[in-house]
Amino acid sequence: FYELMSDESTAFDRVIYNMGNNPLHYNIYKCALNYPSVVILHDFFIPNFMRACYDYDDILQKEIFKEYGFQGLFEYFYNSYESFAKKYPLNRSLIECSKTIIVHTKKAFSLANEIYKNNDFLNIMPLLRQNISLNKIKAKKELKLENTKTFGVFGFTHPIKQNLELLRSWARVMKDKNAVLFIVGENGLPDFNEKLKNFLAEQNITNAYIIGWADDELYKRYLSACDVSICLRKTHLGEASAALLDCLNYQTTTITNFSGFDDCAIYVPEVSDDWHELDAALLKAYNSDDS
């Protein structure tokens, strides 16, 4: 694609780049810098991308200095990169060279205003989903889930998705209920996935399962069977959650602690260390009449 753009860039009035915090987007980033046009910035913060692709020959440090000066470099060298990455989005070069920046969340607007004291350069457009034809009864029958309240978590498993915190809450209030929980999605960290499985075994939880990666057909079947979806996140840095939009699109009752969809979800605004707010949300969803 990069070679194509170098030869054909003048043949297009506009190029739409889909850019996220993922090293697989390396050629997209290069093209967006060299042939500026429209960037759909799926993740407002892209430090993981920058570290994966540019952490060599001082290129990353030079970019940090260019964007944030000595203060940025100081925090890069004297803090953990995880801490640094929560404060510095490393997207300024991309923003400054683009003709238009499109984001998917209101959070991106507030972060731009907080970090750059301006968000006029952003345009918001929802991350779209195609309408689906839902058949919950059929999906539950295929998965042998008739007569149960079905809860689902979708997307990759990772500490940032608070999967373990959810299982602890489930053990407190849902372990003995006529309910079942499925965690469906790619295993982001094998060791963390084992930690989840060990917790289920130690607590003797027989109504929660780690499904792991599912192909498109199985993924949609679990979504269709779901009565309640749970989308949690430890931090929210302006990224759009495709999994959350899938859950809303499949008309499930949804529990979340981020996103901007407060008015159409069971929203947990502040989760304390003992997670009683999530306990209450699980019970509220269980007792709802949406199944």
Side-chain angles (χ1 to χ4, degrees):
F1 179 70
Y2 186 75
E3 287 75 12
L4 170 67
M5 284 302 299
S6 63
D7 295 332
E8 304 290 342
S9 61
T10 57
F12 306 103
D13 295 324
R14 288 288 185 272
V15 179
I16 299 176
Y17 301 106
N18 284 278
M19 181 67 202
N21 192 25
N22 187 317
L24 294 176
H25 295 176
Y26 176 65
N27 282 334
I28 294 173
Y29 184 79
K30 284 203 305 178
C31 285
L33 293 184
N34 286 283
Y35 310 104
S37 195
V38 178
V39 174
I40 301 177
L41 197 53
H42 293 274
D43 301 302
F44 189 74
F45 276 58
I46 56 171
N48 293 341
F49 161 81
M50 293 296 291
R51 188 186 197 188
C53 295
Y54 291 101
D55 193 13
Y56 58 89
D57 295 336
D58 297 329
I59 292 178
L60 179 60
Q61 291 94 310
K62 289 175 182 176
E63 186 64 27
I64 293 169
F65 180 72
K66 174 187 170 185
E67 295 192 19
Y68 308 109
F70 285 112
Q71 181 64 32
L73 274 181
F74 177 84
E75 296 200 33
Y76 168 76
F77 282 114
Y78 289 96
N79 293 317
S80 68
Y81 194 78
E82 181 181 356
S83 175
F84 170 84
K86 291 177 182 177
K87 187 174 180 180
Y88 294 98
L90 286 176
N91 59 14
R92 184 174 232 155
S93 290
L94 192 63
I95 289 169
E96 288 180 345
C97 80
S98 299
K99 297 181 184 300
T100 300
I101 296 285
I102 295 171
V103 295
H104 295 309
T105 67
K106 295 176 182 177
K107 181 69 172 180
F109 266 63
S110 64
L111 287 167
N113 207 43
E114 176 185 331
I115 295 166
Y116 298 128
K117 312 306 178 188
N118 179 23
N119 56 21
D120 292 344
F121 57 89
L122 295 180
N123 300 276
I124 191 165
M125 181 179 73
L127 183 59
L128 302 179
R129 280 293 181 270
Q130 185 177 9
N131 286 338
I132 52 92
S133 178
L134 182 67
N135 192 330
K136 189 181 295 290
I137 294 174
K138 180 183 176 183
K140 281 199 169 192
K141 185 175 181 180
E142 289 173 345
L143 293 170
K144 297 181 173 54
L145 296 172
E146 303 99 317
N147 304 316
T148 65
K149 191 83 168 188
T150 306
F151 290 69
V153 178
F154 299 90
F156 65 94
T157 57
H158 194 278
I160 199 172
K161 300 293 287 287
Q162 299 190 308
N163 305 118
L164 186 57
E165 290 86 344
L166 168 61
L167 291 182
R168 287 173 178 153
S169 189
W170 185 268
R172 285 193 296 269
V173 299
M174 300 297 290
K175 181 177 178 179
D176 300 319
K177 301 288 187 185
N178 181 33
V180 62
L181 169 68
F182 294 100
I183 298 179
V184 183
E186 184 177 356
N187 304 327
L189 297 171
D191 290 345
F192 180 68
N193 198 54
E194 284 303 308
K195 192 173 184 179
L196 298 179
K197 291 180 178 179
N198 290 339
F199 180 83
L200 293 178
E202 290 164 4
Q203 297 294 318
N204 192 29
I205 299 172
T206 58
N207 63 342
Y209 303 90
I210 312 296
I211 302 301
W213 182 86
D215 61 29
D216 192 54
E217 182 180 345
L218 185 59
Y219 178 80
K220 290 178 179 177
R221 189 176 302 150
Y222 274 108
L223 271 168
S224 297
C226 235
D227 300 306
V228 182
S229 299
I230 305 160
C231 297
L232 303 174
R233 198 175 288 264
K234 194 165 288 186
T235 58
H236 183 210
L237 296 174
E239 64 274 13
S241 172
L244 175 59
L245 292 176
D246 285 340
C247 296
L248 295 172
N249 194 30
Y250 275 75
Q251 303 168 39
T252 68
T253 298
T254 304
I255 299 171
T256 187
N257 61 349
F258 76 102
S259 79
F261 294 101
D262 314 11
D263 55 346
C264 53
I266 297 177
Y267 191 68
V268 188
E270 295 292 340
V271 181
S272 62
D273 291 340
D274 58 17
W275 284 80
H276 285 167
E277 293 90 345
L278 182 56
D279 295 356
L282 287 173
L283 289 172
K284 180 179 180 179
Y286 177 78
N287 291 319
S288 68
D289 296 324
D290 297 336
S291 59

